Amino acid sequence: MSETVKDAGTPAEAGTTKAPVPPGAGQSLTGRLRHPRTYLWLVGSVLLLAFPFYLDRFWLQAGLFAMAAAIGAIGLNLLTGSTGQLSMGHAFFLAVGAYSYCILAGESSTENGHELSGLGLPTWLAAILAVMLAGAVGGLFSPIAGRLRGAYLGIATLALIFIGQHVLFNAGSLTGGFNGRAVPPLSLFGFTFDDTEVVVAAVPFQSSEKLWYVGLLALALSGLFARGVLRGRPGRALNAIRDHRIAAGVMGVPVARYRAGVFVLSSMYAGLAGVLLALVFQRTVPEYFGMVLSLEYLAMIVIGGLGSVAGAVVGAAFVSLLPQVLTHYSDSLPLVSAPGTGGLTPGEASRYLYGAAVVAVVLFLPGGLTRLKNPGEKK
């Protein structure tokens, strides 16, 4: 009996298991500086900051589209990848963010035969309120999201797309109808992010160059916040809900409350992405915020990697940049022709390609493209 007690050790030793330590945790500053990944991050950051000085407008706009898509994909990955809640209505919340900004920041005017309403608020305040309004709309739907799961939640959120499309096309005084409405340029601290030319180091800065740094800041803050959520107690609770809902409830995790909360957070991410998209497009069009956009966001997180912030960014870059690159180089690519000339258009070709990428990832790389850096890593 005594030998048995001696082998078991103290109660603290016997009942405690060490949690896995994330890569880089506990390393000193000197140790991190020796890691090659640190220098890759530094080089990448410098390149991103320098791009507006060297790239033309096309590539800057393509990069801004990718940044907006990455923000929205991070929000969807929190909901679908980390919590296991299928959402087909992500495009609806992007539309809420984009059109809320236009209504809050725009002035009342007449455009394309529609008497447009606007509150004329400061644009920086309108952007913040648009994100909060997207979260509030998500909060109205969150009781449903907290109680439904899987295909049932997917079908329920799909209804948001149909409701949203009907409102966007018919509420002409708010949305401008089929032709949409112009987007007021962002103004912050007396600096306006429009096409007014500002020369910096002999390089003319217009709207794309100015918005580039706004997009970088928004993406960095969104990614860091989501990473903090996933690495903290909320992230562990969300993963527990995804892996085994009943067991998570038994352990004391308020499943319905967490599901509702992450749905609101995902809606706010989509609202921020919608605001950035509106600023880049400079015009909101209802047709853009349809079911195809929601499917593209699902493709982003599957291709990049479910439950991963980096995976959302990689998948968003792949899906959003592919049609633009194909369009830009359509004259020199085989089997791809310019839009309106017949044959396979760049948009169709891109959908074939990332559709094939989704199938390939599901079959051969379930962890997404981000798992390529360490394919032997266990999930």
Side-chain angles (χ1 to χ4, degrees):
M1 179 70 180
S2 60
E3 292 180 359
T4 305
V5 174
K6 182 178 179 180
D7 291 339
T10 63
E13 293 172 348
T16 305
T17 58
K18 292 184 178 180
V21 181
Q27 289 185 3
S28 64
L29 179 60
T30 305
R32 291 185 179 182
L33 289 176
R34 292 176 180 174
H35 202 287
R37 188 180 298 176
T38 303
Y39 295 100
L40 289 176
W41 275 106
L42 289 174
V43 172
S45 300
V46 171
L47 287 175
L48 288 173
L49 292 173
F51 277 162
F53 293 93
Y54 298 98
L55 298 181
D56 59 22
R57 188 182 183 92
F58 168 80
W59 291 109
L60 292 177
Q61 284 190 336
L64 283 166
F65 290 145
M67 291 178 198
I71 293 172
I74 290 172
L76 184 60
N77 222 354
L78 288 172
L79 178 65
T80 301
S82 299
T83 317
Q85 293 287 85
L86 176 62
S87 174
M88 298 288 291
H90 209 56
F92 170 80
F93 295 103
L94 270 88
V96 171
Y99 278 96
S100 296
Y101 173 79
C102 293
I103 295 168
L104 294 170
E107 302 283 350
S108 297
S109 61
T110 302
E111 187 178 338
N112 296 322
H114 293 287
E115 295 287 338
L116 297 179
S117 301
L119 299 181
L121 297 178
T123 53
W124 63 268
L125 178 60
I128 295 173
L129 292 178
V131 176
M132 295 178 65
L133 185 59
V137 175
L140 293 176
F141 192 82
S142 62
I144 300 174
R147 288 164 175 78
L148 296 179
R149 60 191 181 95
Y152 298 102
L153 179 61
I155 294 171
T157 53
L158 187 61
L160 294 175
I161 296 293
F162 299 119
I163 294 172
Q165 288 286 285
H166 178 77
V167 172
L168 293 179
F169 280 110
N170 292 281
S173 61
L174 295 177
T175 66
F178 181 83
N179 293 318
R181 63 182 294 170
V183 179
L186 181 66
S187 182
L188 188 63
F189 302 122
F191 186 78
T192 304
F193 297 82
D194 58 4
D195 281 324
T196 303
E197 191 172 284
V198 176
V199 179
V200 179
V203 177
F205 270 52
Q206 294 181 332
S207 61
S208 298
E209 288 83 359
K210 299 171 188 176
L211 284 173
W212 180 268
Y213 297 106
V214 175
L216 277 182
L217 180 61
L219 177 57
L221 293 178
S222 301
L224 289 173
F225 182 80
R227 190 178 181 185
V229 169
L230 293 177
R231 291 194 170 190
R233 292 182 61 185
R236 292 191 291 270
L238 296 177
N239 290 336
I241 294 171
R242 176 197 62 197
D243 295 335
H244 205 298
R245 175 179 55 91
I246 297 176
V250 171
M251 290 188 296
V253 176
V255 175
R257 191 170 68 187
Y258 266 100
R259 280 180 170 174
V262 76
F263 194 89
V264 172
L265 182 60
S266 176
S267 303
M268 295 179 70
Y269 270 84
L272 178 58
V275 172
L276 184 56
L277 274 175
L279 292 171
V280 178
F281 273 122
Q282 299 181 355
R283 187 170 196 86
T284 53
V285 182
E287 188 178 2
Y288 178 76
F289 301 98
M291 191 188 306
V292 173
L293 184 61
S294 289
L295 294 176
E296 287 179 352
Y297 271 94
L298 287 174
M300 291 175 193
I301 62 174
V302 172
I303 292 172
L306 292 172
S308 166
V309 174
V313 175
V314 171
F318 180 84
V319 173
S320 62
L321 290 178
L322 185 60
Q324 298 181 68
V325 172
L326 290 177
T327 301
H328 192 65
Y329 294 107
S330 59
D331 293 336
S332 56
L333 291 175
L335 304 178
V336 179
S337 57
T341 59
L344 190 64
T345 65
E348 293 172 340
S350 62
R351 290 191 177 95
Y352 286 133
L353 287 174
Y354 64 67
V358 168
V359 175
V361 165
V362 170
L363 291 177
F364 306 110
L365 199 66
L369 294 178
T370 53
R371 291 292 298 276
L372 285 174
K373 62 183 179 181
N374 191 3
E377 179 186 359
K378 290 184 179 180
K379 209 172 175 184

